[in-house]
């Protein structure tokens, strides 16, 4: 009677990343052509319970924007993003692909305008808040330095779903 061949052991299942991950980082954002790049602080949390899939949120703390315009306007951004992603990991390296939805609350306020002597006769409008929605695909590379610390770089783009412009108009004389 032949002896059956031994069954090879199953490959060990790689444990997922920590179930919850918190992170912070520097973010440079090119929000509008009328302003310079914004230097921001990004905070995030993600849940990795369905390895290799994960979900997370991200909040970006940014300074107010002051576009180059004859009328001084200040726009404060409050971007919040929710994302779903896929993580591919090899040793200490990981590559993530994400798709997020960003809700950016924009608070617009006129802070100064030239008077008639400056060629402008502008009435400051009350501050207003608008919502800007965007799809945010992102690719991230990460190097795990210690079990609780890593360094990452991500690159993404915002695809605006409801683009709009802020306009300041001179009142019409009757």
């Amino acid at each position: 009677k032949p002896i059956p061949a031994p069954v090879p052991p199953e490959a060990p299942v790689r444990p997922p990343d920590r179930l919850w991950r918190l992170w912070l980082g520097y973010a440079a954002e090119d929000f509008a052509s009328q302003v310079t790049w914004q230097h921001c602080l990004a905070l995030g949390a993600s849940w990795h319970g369905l390895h290799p899939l994960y979900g997370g949120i991200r909040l970006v703390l940014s300074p107010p924007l002051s576009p180059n315009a004859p009328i001084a306007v200040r726009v404060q951004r409050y971007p919040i993003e929710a994302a779903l992603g896929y993580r591919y990991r090899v040793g200490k390296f990981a590559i993530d692909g994400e798709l997020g939805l960003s809700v950016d609350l924009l608070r617009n306020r006129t802070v100064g305008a030239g008077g008639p002597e400056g060629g402008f006769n502008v009435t400051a409008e009350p501050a207003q808040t608008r919502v800007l929605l965007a799809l945010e695909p992102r690719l991230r590379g990460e190097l795990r330095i210690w079990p609780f610390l890593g360094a990452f770089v991500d690159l993404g783009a915002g695809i605006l779903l409801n683009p709009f412009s802020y306009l300041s108009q001179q009142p019409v004389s009757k």
Side-chain angles (χ1 to χ4, degrees), residues 46-155:
S46 55
W47 182 72
H48 294 255
L50 298 174
H51 182 71
L53 302 176
Y54 65 91
I57 58 171
R58 168 181 157 143
L59 170 67
V60 178
L61 304 173
S62 62
L65 297 167
S66 296
N68 295 327
I71 300 165
V73 175
R74 179 161 290 176
V75 178
Q76 180 64 57
R77 299 180 55 219
Y78 303 97
I80 301 168
E81 178 185 333
L84 296 174
Y86 180 87
R87 171 165 273 218
Y88 177 75
R89 193 172 66 161
V90 177
K92 293 183 175 187
F93 297 97
I95 297 175
D96 301 338
E98 290 182 357
L99 181 60
L101 176 64
S102 173
V103 177
D104 200 341
L105 302 175
L106 302 167
R107 180 89 172 141
N108 173 34
R109 184 169 59 93
T110 303
V111 293
E117 66 280 352
F120 296 99
N121 183 14
V122 177
T123 304
E125 295 292 324
Q128 69 183 67
T129 301
R130 296 183 77 173
V131 176
L132 185 64
L133 301 173
L135 284 177
E136 304 259 349
R138 182 174 289 115
L139 187 63
R140 175 183 300 123
E142 181 179 323
L143 170 63
R144 179 75 50 95
I145 299 170
W146 289 301
F148 59 89
L149 181 66
F152 66 91
V153 173
D154 66 21
L155 180 63

